[in-house]
Amino acid sequence: GRGRGSLKLHAVVVAEDARRRATTTTTRRERGRRTPPPLSSSSKASAAVNAETSSSGNEGVHAWGPIGSNEAIKGYTPTAAEDARTAVSLVRHGTFCTLASDTGTPFGTHVYYLVDEATGSPIIRVPSDSVEDLNLLKDGKCSLYIHPSGDASDCIARVTLMGNAVHLGREGDDSFEDVRQKFGEVAARLPPSERSFEDLVHDNDEVFRVDVEKVYVRRLACVITQQKEVEVVEGEEYQKAATDPLAFVAPYMVEKWNEEHLDDIVRFCTFLTGAMIEELEMCKLLWIDSLGLYIRFQKFGEFPKDIRMGFPQKVNDEKALVSALTMLGQVTWENQ
């Protein structure tokens, strides 16, 4: 029913409020001292921006707190090149298109790939008698479309890499054996139930490296209109960018925070949007990166919306992330 989701969210927040009040013996002023160490000059600038641009109407409530959602999209989000590198490193499979050798029309197939982390270039394997192999040997022009799965697909960018496939070798070549070994190492880390024939390089395969010349990155551009835009990144900028330092921690942390700290996620949402808990049918954390996080919420009778909250300073590892989320949860609790 209409009230079930709202009652659940409300119960979670109320229960956590009671727990915090029961375990907190200091005064509100003393609790306010539970802030991070002195901020660097860049962090102080971030806090100042937060005080001026918070979209929830809570301007200046705390010197160290969440960055308002619109400002977070503008200045507290990885670059398009960084988001592209993160998507490519995380997903490891996509739709690979070559130009048909007889007609010149695009021909697409699903492939698994490795990533040269130094440049972001995907390394793929294709059977030596396949259509795509014949196409590439005639014309190396190709593209690779990468679409993250699950809820993260709406936060991590959807990426199309355009470039040229360079032939690295076939069975017996040193480069081929090196790629075969690396594919095997990746497959060995997968749970047995998730392994497949496509995860390995086989004797009749040939291997190619995709040298990226241009990247098209589609991602959220405005939290008010929910508009997504495509940004064009040149190959050199893509190669110089880096995968987000939290990329491989984020899936676990998203699941953990939704299960164990939903009350904080709800407060982040109400802080950023001004919505009342009773209005919310659904609220959950979608994704985390080193500069902030994405939340999806839905009011009764409305479509879901995605918002972004920026961190007042960059976090580079799991320990720093837990600390930042905990302190931001405290900040929003004290100012609710």
Side-chain angles (χ1 to χ4, degrees), residues 26 42 57 163 165-166 182 193 223 258:
T26 58
S42 60
V166 177
K182 290 178 179 177
S193 61
V223 299
N258 277 328

Side-chain angles (χ1 to χ4, degrees), residues 98-107 135 138:
T98 58
L99 296 178
S101 58
D102 53 349
T103 63
T105 55
F107 176 86
N135 293 342
K138 181 177 180 180

